[in-house]
Amino acid sequence: MGAPPGYRPSAWVHLLHQLPRADFQLRPVPSVFAPQEQEYQQALLLVAALAGLGLGLSLIFIAVYLIRFCCCRPPEPPGSKIPSPGGGCVTWSCIVALLAGCTGIGIGFYGNSETSDGVSQLSSALLHANHTLSTIDHLVLETVERLGEAVRTELTTLEEVLEPRTELVAAARGARRQAEAVAQQLQGLAFWQGVPLSPLQVAEDVSFVEEYRWLAYVLLLLLELLVCLFTLLGLAKQSKWLVIVMTVMSLLVLVLSWGSMGLEAATAVGLSDFCSNPDPYVLNLTQEETGLSSDILSYYFLCNQAVSNPFQQRLTLSQRALANIHSQLLGLEREAVPQFPSAQKPLLSLEETLNVTEGNFHQLVALLHCRGLHKDYGAALRGLCEDALEGLLFLLLFSLLSAGALATALCSLPRAWALFPPSDDYDDTDDDDPFNPQESKRFVQWQSSI
């Protein structure tokens, strides 16, 4: 099959396409894009479930680590203010993990932008294809209406004027038959007319879904950025309450990161299967949705020398008929106008209609060639299989870095806040405040002495 212009499956497509697939019974599944088949759906769900498994293992590891930290650490002597050994290492490991998470956030913003650009390119290609198909329908409708109007008015008037000369009437009727034949042939060129599938509607649906996907990822990225920044602020100010709140938020973002990782991994694997050989699936799906013949669809989707133009015969017959009409009108103008001056007006009107029809015909020949629509098909594939897939892989890297950084932070933060000085909670209190625990203790001692 002929590849669209400028599109070749990338190395990432080949790499992801070679990954093994299996259903829920762990039976091998072919790497052929078939989203309607249950086994293939199970294979993609199993890929997404790997992220769920990673989340479960991550939570178990964090829980075991924190239980060991809380239950197995040696008791500190009362009133001891000497920090535990290794406290600085724990704090710095948490800070490094959060900075790695910030780096992942930058990667996530780039991946989100790349994915959005790829989907926008897909939508633009669909809109351009819709414009081409609509223009074909409009030109066919306009040309057929012009020819029909010319047959009903100018040719009828011309036959009435030339009625005394039977040979001239026969020539006018021949032009009528040729015009009717052209109109009949042109009607068969509007192949997309009445088709239930609209590229415009598909482009609008894709843009609608992409808008909310982009917004959801921006919110997730901003949420993680705020968590990282406020956690670093809490560590810098040694604020226990802020670190505790950010620990809970980190756990939430950790769950969201693993969830997005599963969605991204399944989408990337499915997209790689589609992009490795998109033509068969697109041909079959378009034929099911539109009911068009495989000859027409193969001509536009493949656009190679092995597939002939299905409209070539109609275009050839129409061109010959237009040439015959032109020669007949020239003959009538040469023979009839000297004898029937009133025939000049309908003949001039017919020549004008013929010129417009020939102009529309040449536009139809250019639009019906496979180059234009096949170029839109290639642009859609490049947007989906290059930019969008690359963006998905960057988002996958973001989710992986985010999950690792947050898991490390969740293990480090409880140890970090345990090292905060006890006076942290009373730094902002007034020494003369009676509600200050230290001032209350001195007040009780003073009363006892009295």
Side-chain angles (χ1 to χ4, degrees):
M1 292 188 176
Y7 171 73
R8 293 292 185 275
S10 64
W12 286 112
V13 170
H14 288 299
L15 179 61
L16 293 173
H17 185 62
Q18 296 301 321
L19 294 178
R21 283 107 168 107
D23 58 11
F24 290 163
Q25 288 76 34
L26 300 182
R27 294 174 300 190
V29 175
S31 301
V32 178
F33 188 69
Q36 71 281 359
E37 295 183 4
Q38 185 178 4
E39 291 80 6
Y40 189 79
Q41 295 173 3
Q42 292 180 359
L44 294 183
L45 288 175
L46 195 61
V47 172
L50 293 177
L53 178 62
L55 173 62
L57 294 176
S58 178
L59 293 177
I60 292 174
F61 174 78
I62 293 171
V64 170
Y65 181 86
L66 294 181
I67 290 173
R68 181 179 176 276
F69 166 70
C70 294
C71 301
C72 301
R73 64 174 178 171
E76 297 180 0
S80 173
K81 296 185 179 180
I82 301 175
S84 303
C89 180
V90 170
T91 304
W92 278 108
S93 65
C94 183
I95 292 174
V96 171
L98 292 173
L99 292 177
C102 293
T103 303
I105 292 171
I107 294 174
F109 273 110
Y110 176 76
N112 196 36
S113 176
E114 280 293 298
T115 304
S116 180
D117 290 343
V119 176
S120 298
Q121 190 173 349
L122 169 64
S123 300
S124 299
L126 288 171
L127 291 175
H128 192 269
N130 182 77
H131 175 72
T132 300
L133 295 171
S134 301
T135 304
I136 291 174
D137 293 342
H138 174 72
L139 285 175
V140 169
L141 180 62
E142 179 186 358
T143 306
V144 169
E145 287 182 351
R146 279 182 174 274
L147 288 175
E149 183 68 19
V151 168
R152 290 190 300 269
T153 56
E154 283 86 357
L155 281 173
T156 301
T157 302
L158 189 61
E159 291 176 7
E160 293 175 354
V161 171
L162 301 178
E163 188 175 2
R165 295 280 303 273
T166 56
E167 69 278 8
L168 296 179
V169 172
R173 289 177 179 174
R176 174 195 289 270
R177 288 192 296 270
Q178 295 289 340
E180 292 173 348
V182 170
Q184 184 179 3
Q185 294 295 334
L186 290 180
Q187 285 178 343
L189 299 179
F191 65 95
W192 202 263
Q193 192 172 11
V195 171
L197 180 64
S198 171
L200 176 61
Q201 185 62 44
V202 175
E204 291 177 351
D205 293 342
V206 168
S207 299
F208 177 79
V209 174
E210 170 58 20
E211 181 180 355
Y212 283 95
R213 186 212 63 80
W214 178 86
L215 180 60
Y217 267 99
V218 168
L219 293 178
L220 176 61
L221 291 164
L222 291 178
L223 176 61
E224 182 171 352
L225 180 61
L226 290 176
V227 168
C228 292
L229 293 179
F230 277 105
T231 304
L232 291 172
L233 179 63
L235 291 174
K237 286 187 167 293
Q238 296 188 343
S239 174
K240 277 191 176 181
W241 69 268
L242 183 57
V243 171
I244 291 173
V245 171
M246 289 302 105
T247 301
V248 177
M249 293 300 297
S250 297
L251 182 61
L252 172 63
V253 178
L254 176 67
V255 175
L256 294 176
S257 296
W258 278 106
S260 65
M261 188 188 304
L263 182 62
E264 292 150 9
T267 305
V269 170
L271 192 56
S272 68
D273 292 340
F274 168 78
C275 295
S276 63
N277 189 16
D279 294 340
Y281 179 77
V282 174
L283 277 170
N284 293 332
L285 180 63
T286 309
Q287 189 171 11
E288 291 176 3
E289 295 292 333
T290 61
L292 295 174
S293 67
S294 59
D295 294 338
I296 295 177
L297 297 178
S298 298
Y299 175 68
Y300 287 108
F301 283 118
L302 305 182
C303 194
N304 53 30
Q305 296 180 353
V307 183
S308 60
N309 189 344
F311 305 109
Q312 188 60 50
Q313 184 177 3
R314 290 181 177 274
L315 293 173
T316 301
L317 293 176
S318 299
Q319 188 175 17
R320 290 175 181 173
L322 289 173
N324 292 335
I325 295 174
H326 191 71
S327 61
Q328 288 171 346
L329 291 180
L330 288 178
L332 286 173
E333 186 177 5
R334 187 170 52 253
E335 297 291 336
V337 171
Q339 301 181 28
F340 304 96
S342 57
Q344 185 173 8
K345 183 177 180 180
L347 282 173
L348 291 176
S349 180
L350 284 172
E351 289 179 357
E352 181 181 357
T353 301
L354 183 63
N355 291 333
V356 174
T357 301
E358 288 179 340
N360 292 344
F361 177 78
H362 290 306
Q363 292 186 51
L364 282 173
V365 170
L367 291 172
L368 286 170
H369 196 276
C370 65
R371 283 192 303 267
L373 290 174
H374 191 64
K375 184 178 179 181
D376 295 332
Y377 176 51
L381 288 181
R382 288 193 300 274
L384 191 62
C385 299
E386 294 179 3
D387 293 342
L389 181 59
E390 179 185 350
L392 272 177
L393 294 177
F394 276 108
L395 288 175
L396 187 61
L397 179 59
F398 147 72
S399 299
L400 187 61
L401 288 174
S402 173
L406 292 173
T408 304
L410 285 170
C411 291
S412 304
L413 284 175
R415 295 191 63 183
W417 84 53
L419 300 174
F420 292 169
S423 60
D424 173 68
D425 298 330
Y426 309 110
D427 284 343
D428 297 332
T429 57
D430 189 2
D431 292 338
D432 296 330
D433 187 359
F435 294 101
N436 187 336
Q438 297 177 358
E439 183 66 24
S440 299
K441 185 177 180 180
R442 289 195 296 267
F443 180 73
V444 171
Q445 291 176 352
W446 175 75
Q447 281 187 332
S448 300
S449 64
I450 296 176

